[in-house]
Amino acid sequence: MALLRYAAQNSSSSNTTSSPCRYHVFLSFRGKDTRKNFSDHLYTALVNARFRTFRDEDELERGEGINPGIERAIRQSRSSVIVFSKDFASSNWCLDEVVMILERKRVFSDHIVLPVFYDVNPSQVRKQTGSFAKAPKDEVKEQGERMEGSTKPGC
């Protein structure tokens, strides 16, 4: 929470020179794994701590592309919390969000990214083992290439 408070303070102090961020936190998670438990509790705690927090409320149909509203919310967020869970990497949607979040971080280095490992070992994500070995890598690479040309301003 301390890093998120830092992000919130920096976004409010920069309001005089640029437009304010719409969200303090963009919450990325695999709904099937954590929506009704961990992510819901985390979202509630963030909101109760007065963080403007974006979370996707809509269930996505299998195979649907990422919503332009999600990309806009990532650009308008001061920080992102990514909840890595067992089936996170099996979702192209989740992987697309990670690519967009990391692109946001690359273009605007003040964007804070906080990973949370829910019922997975961080080394599985880092080394792409376990359920993370099955991630559709070509899809992620292709999404990253599409995002490279994007330099839309963030907050």
Side-chain angles (χ1 to χ4, degrees):
M1 290 289 211
L3 280 175
L4 294 175
R5 288 207 189 288
Y6 170 78
Q9 289 169 349
N10 280 353
S11 69
S12 60
S13 67
S14 65
N15 287 351
T16 57
T17 59
S18 65
S19 62
C21 290
R22 184 167 181 184
Y23 305 104
H24 293 120
V25 181
F26 178 89
L27 185 58
S28 177
F29 60 94
R30 175 80 162 131
K32 183 174 99 173
D33 290 351
T34 67
R35 181 181 300 278
K36 299 294 182 197
N37 50 48
F38 180 79
S39 293
D40 190 47
H41 293 295
L42 177 58
Y43 174 80
T44 301
L46 289 167
V47 170
N48 287 343
R50 297 187 178 274
F51 290 106
R52 288 185 314 272
T53 305
F54 179 92
R55 82 171 163 187
D56 178 32
E57 292 289 359
D58 300 322
E59 293 292 331
L60 225 64
E61 293 297 321
R62 196 176 189 98
E64 278 189 54
I66 197 156
N67 180 325
I70 298 291
E71 185 176 358
R72 185 172 41 258
I74 291 169
R75 281 195 323 267
Q76 295 175 344
S77 295
R78 191 77 175 107
S79 63
S80 296
V81 174
I82 305 169
V83 180
F84 291 103
S85 57
K86 285 189 177 188
D87 286 331
F88 187 91
S90 68
S91 166
N92 286 338
W93 176 273
C94 290
L95 296 175
D96 286 350
E97 283 185 4
V98 170
V99 169
M100 287 182 204
I101 289 167
L102 294 178
E103 180 63 13
R104 167 86 167 90
K105 171 74 175 159
R106 186 184 72 77
V107 174
F108 301 97
S109 61
D110 62 338
H111 186 77
I112 297 169
V113 179
L114 299 171
V116 174
F117 302 95
Y118 180 81
D119 204 21
V120 295
N121 188 315
S123 68
Q124 289 178 309
V125 177
R126 182 175 50 252
K127 296 176 183 175
Q128 296 182 350
T129 61
S131 63
F132 289 85
K134 302 171 193 160
K137 293 178 181 83
D138 291 338
E139 175 76 22
V140 174
K141 182 180 177 193
E142 187 177 298
Q143 174 69 16
E145 289 169 354
R146 285 193 304 259
M147 291 293 295
E148 275 182 7
S150 173
T151 57
K152 295 178 183 175
C155 50

